[in-house]
Amino acid sequence: RLCQPCGEMGGSNAGPNHSETQQAIVPPIPSITIACPQHGGCLLRRVRKSDSPNLSRIFRICKVRQCQYFEWADGGFPSCRCRRKAILRVSKTKRSGGRWFLSCSRGDKRGSNHNNNPEKTAGCGFFEWAKPEVLAPLGS
């Protein structure tokens, strides 16, 4: 059974991203309160296990620690050319800093990725600026 959004916006503030010439605030991961069928609101989280094939994917869990409610929150995200779900990231460059984008979870074609793990295989290089309709279900 899928839950419906209750319309509350939320999120946590990420720390500032400092550079020598400019200080920009990195926006939080967009979030929206979704109703767990049993307990109400949910939390938005990201997979952090470095050995997981789902590294950096976004999911929802119940606020009650013992509850088993789980749902992938990236259902509206496109798949990259590797046939994996694209992951949501935020640009940290001077020109486009703070903009959300979708990219291959494996990184670019040269094999560089967000974890700088040489054991990971090279990705397909997929890149797409996140459109409002992709971010909307996350509360942005």
Side-chain angles (χ1 to χ4, degrees), residues 65-124:
R65 192 174 287 250
Q66 293 80 16
C67 182
Q68 297 297 307
Y69 176 77
F70 172 90
E71 179 182 36
W72 287 114
D74 58 5
F77 292 8
S79 293
C80 69
R81 292 180 288 278
C82 297
R83 297 190 186 124
R84 301 179 82 149
K85 203 49 104 166
I87 59 169
L88 184 65
R89 296 181 174 158
V90 66
S91 173
K92 296 177 184 171
T93 64
K94 187 174 181 178
R95 198 175 88 212
S96 62
R99 253 183 105 180
W100 291 102
F101 66 94
L102 298 158
S103 67
C104 177
S105 63
R106 293 181 179 176
D108 63 24
K109 292 180 181 181
R110 297 177 306 240
S112 64
N113 61 33
H114 63 286
N115 290 326
N116 295 322
N117 184 347
E119 295 177 10
K120 295 279 185 182
T121 58
C124 64

Side-chain angles (χ1 to χ4, degrees), residues 44-81:
L44 202 59
R45 296 285 187 248
R46 187 181 293 271
V47 175
R48 297 287 183 197
K49 291 183 179 179
S50 61
D51 60 342
S52 171
N54 294 311
L55 180 64
S56 296
R57 284 189 69 187
I58 299 172
F59 61 94
R60 293 182 181 98
I61 58 171
C62 182
K63 289 182 178 182
V64 176
R65 192 174 287 250
Q66 293 80 16
C67 182
Q68 297 297 307
Y69 176 77
F70 172 90
E71 179 182 36
W72 287 114
D74 58 5
F77 292 8
S79 293
C80 69
R81 292 180 288 278

Side-chain angles (χ1 to χ4, degrees), residues 7-54:
E8 292 179 32
M9 297 292 206
S12 62
N13 290 328
N17 180 12
H18 297 282
S19 71
E20 290 182 23
T21 59
Q22 177 183 3
Q23 179 178 351
I25 295 178
V26 177
I29 294 174
S31 66
I32 189 168
T33 303
I34 302 289
C36 166
Q38 198 170 25
H39 302 107
C42 288
L43 303 171
L44 202 59
R45 296 285 187 248
R46 187 181 293 271
V47 175
R48 297 287 183 197
K49 291 183 179 179
S50 61
D51 60 342
S52 171
N54 294 311

